[in-house]
Amino acid sequence: MKARRHGLVNAVAGVAAATTIGVFLAGCGGSSLSSGGSGSGGDAATAATIGFLVPKSGVYAPLGTDMENGFRLYLKQKGEKLGGKTITLKVVDEGAGPDTGVPAGQALARDADVKAVAGVVNSAVALGLRDAFQEAKKPLIVANAGADAISGERSSDYMWRTSFSNGECGASLGKYVASQLKGASAYLMAPDYAAGKEAVTGFEQAFKAAGGTVAGTQLTPFGTTTNFQPYLAAARNSGAKAIFAFYAGSEAVTFVKQYNELGMSTDLPLYGSGFLTEGGVLAAQGKSAVGIMTSLNYSNQLDTATNKTFVEDYTKAYGSAPTVYSVTAYDAAAVLDKALTQGVGGDQIVAGLKAIGTIDSPRGQWKFSEKHGAAQAYYLRKVVEKDGQLVNSVIGDLAKL
């Protein structure tokens, strides 16, 4: 994949990563307990079919490609086997949202040949499939969708997440920013939809707990705002000494460019959730993004042997550096590799997932939380120019800064 094309991949990636629709669609109808329950398959099985639900069409299709690349790279490294079983990967189009993604996922939940499913970009799709997979007793490994409820009040033994939650990503930065401002206030900005609200709320709670104060909050119209200058002017006039922002995709590109055009970096440093400068979004922003600091659970600049090998292998296979979306899908394959050693029945796979301890990932070591989210480090990243390219340089682990 060429670098410019990869820019388009991630220009939409962060939006998809965090998309949550206010009404959670319940998975419905016809799921058979035999489709993936403890009665299907067993330790003696030598092959298994795994469903992979990601966008293959529409605006989020490039993100689906990033995720599929990560999952397939792990399979390739393991000789097309997970847990000792030869894997057939059944890739199904999630489409642009719940209208297409929920029915497609429900079909996979009912498919007796499919033993588990991974992927899912859209949070409303993931939450809309929760009941269908629980009824089918079939594991769903969410490798992207960021809604807090997935590993919160809507958690399930049959839904596991290898990615992140919107609130945690924002919260991870709160204490650090408070320490930098030393009592001065911050101004909070995000698009007016569920993911933006979750990110801002997470940051605000951690920021205030560390002694920070908020000068104001602006939720901009989601998906329609192209002129951020009035909102940025309000931030400048608020008396704040920094901005925290959650934007992604094309909105992140526009927001950062206009922030730079107004010359605000000298008096209002910009902090944000990592989607603000991740992957191709950063390439599209260009030098406007230099100096911006973000929090995310991965950077391809992490200086570990595991990550260096992963970046080398991924770049060789696909012609571009990996992103957080590639890694979370790679890790979805890694946890299935461990879980499938217990068998191919749904309850056997769940037992295997529950038994997984620490996972050595390109992002660093992590493990599943009590409600099946990813308990992991979030890194402080700063946009710098390195060898003629803009990268998210890793400053350190936010929990240790």
Side-chain angles (χ1 to χ4, degrees):
M1 193 184 324
K2 299 299 182 183
R4 183 171 296 274
R5 181 182 167 210
H6 195 67
L8 294 176
V9 168
N10 291 292
V12 298
V15 172
T19 299
T20 307
I21 296 177
V23 178
F24 298 151
L25 302 178
C28 62
S31 296
S32 167
L33 294 181
S34 67
S35 66
S38 57
S40 60
D43 291 333
T46 59
T49 297
I50 301 297
F52 197 69
L53 180 65
V54 290
K56 299 292 289 181
S57 61
V59 67
Y60 301 137
L63 174 55
T65 299
D66 259 17
M67 294 170 68
E68 187 176 342
N69 286 349
F71 198 95
R72 287 192 183 278
L73 179 62
Y74 189 94
L75 273 178
K76 181 180 179 182
Q77 291 173 341
K78 296 293 182 174
E80 306 301 325
K81 292 184 177 182
L82 296 178
K85 283 83 173 163
T86 301
I87 297 300
T88 298
L89 194 63
K90 183 173 183 177
V91 181
V92 174
D93 187 4
E94 180 183 346
D99 289 348
T100 53
V102 170
Q106 288 172 340
L108 287 170
R110 294 190 297 265
D111 188 337
D113 291 333
V114 173
K115 304 308 178 185
V117 175
V120 188
V121 165
N122 188 290
S123 288
V125 172
L127 289 163
L129 291 174
R130 185 257 192 203
D131 292 346
F133 277 81
Q134 180 158 299
E135 182 183 344
K137 294 188 177 181
K138 183 177 294 185
L140 173 62
I141 314 298
V142 176
N144 188 71
D148 292 351
I150 290 170
S151 54
E153 64 268 23
R154 293 280 290 164
S155 65
S156 162
D157 266 359
Y158 297 94
M159 187 159 64
W160 300 69
R161 175 158 58 189
T162 62
S163 53
F164 45 79
S165 73
N166 301 323
E168 284 181 358
C169 193
S172 64
L173 200 51
K175 182 179 179 180
Y176 177 80
V177 176
S179 72
Q180 298 303 296
L181 295 186
K182 298 180 176 18
S185 61
Y187 196 87
L188 316 184
M189 301 183 69
D192 189 8
Y193 77 123
K197 292 175 184 177
E198 287 180 344
V200 163
T201 297
F203 173 82
E204 183 174 6
Q205 289 175 346
F207 180 63
K208 287 182 174 179
T213 59
V214 174
T217 301
Q218 180 64 63
L219 298 177
T220 56
F222 173 53
T224 61
T225 303
T226 57
N227 181 11
F228 289 97
Q229 294 194 24
Y231 306 113
L232 288 165
R236 171 174 271 167
N237 295 332
S238 70
K241 296 302 180 183
I243 296 174
F244 170 81
F246 171 94
Y247 286 101
S250 60
E251 285 189 321
V253 176
T254 304
F255 178 83
V256 166
K257 284 187 172 182
Q258 292 181 8
Y259 164 85
N260 182 67
E261 288 166 2
L262 291 173
M264 298 178 71
S265 60
T266 56
D267 55 346
L268 276 177
L270 179 57
Y271 300 88
S273 292
F275 315 109
L276 189 66
T277 61
E278 177 67 0
V281 167
L282 178 57
Q285 290 162 342
K287 292 188 178 181
S288 296
V290 170
I292 294 174
M293 302 185 80
T294 63
S295 170
L296 201 59
N297 57 341
Y298 179 69
S299 166
N300 56 36
Q301 299 299 300
L302 279 170
D303 188 15
T304 66
T306 301
N307 185 54
K308 287 179 178 179
T309 299
F310 173 72
V311 171
E312 182 179 350
D313 290 347
Y314 188 97
T315 303
K316 182 178 179 180
Y318 304 116
S320 60
T323 65
V324 67
Y325 316 108
S326 313
V327 170
T328 53
Y330 182 87
D331 284 356
V335 299
L336 282 170
D337 189 21
K338 294 178 182 292
L340 283 165
T341 61
Q342 301 297 310
V344 297
D347 288 339
Q348 292 170 324
I349 298 171
V350 167
L353 290 167
K354 288 181 177 180
I356 292 174
T358 300
I359 299 150
D360 186 20
S361 163
R363 75 180 89 171
Q365 293 189 337
W366 68 278
K367 62 183 179 180
F368 283 119
S369 66
E370 182 180 353
K371 291 195 172 182
H372 312 152
Q376 61 193 327
Y378 281 89
Y379 301 101
L380 180 65
R381 317 179 320 166
K382 183 176 182 179
V383 177
V384 301
E385 190 168 359
K386 178 181 177 182
D387 300 328
Q389 292 187 326
L390 295 176
V391 298
N392 287 293
S393 178
V394 178
I395 306 300
D397 179 341
L398 281 162
K400 299 176 182 177
L401 290 174

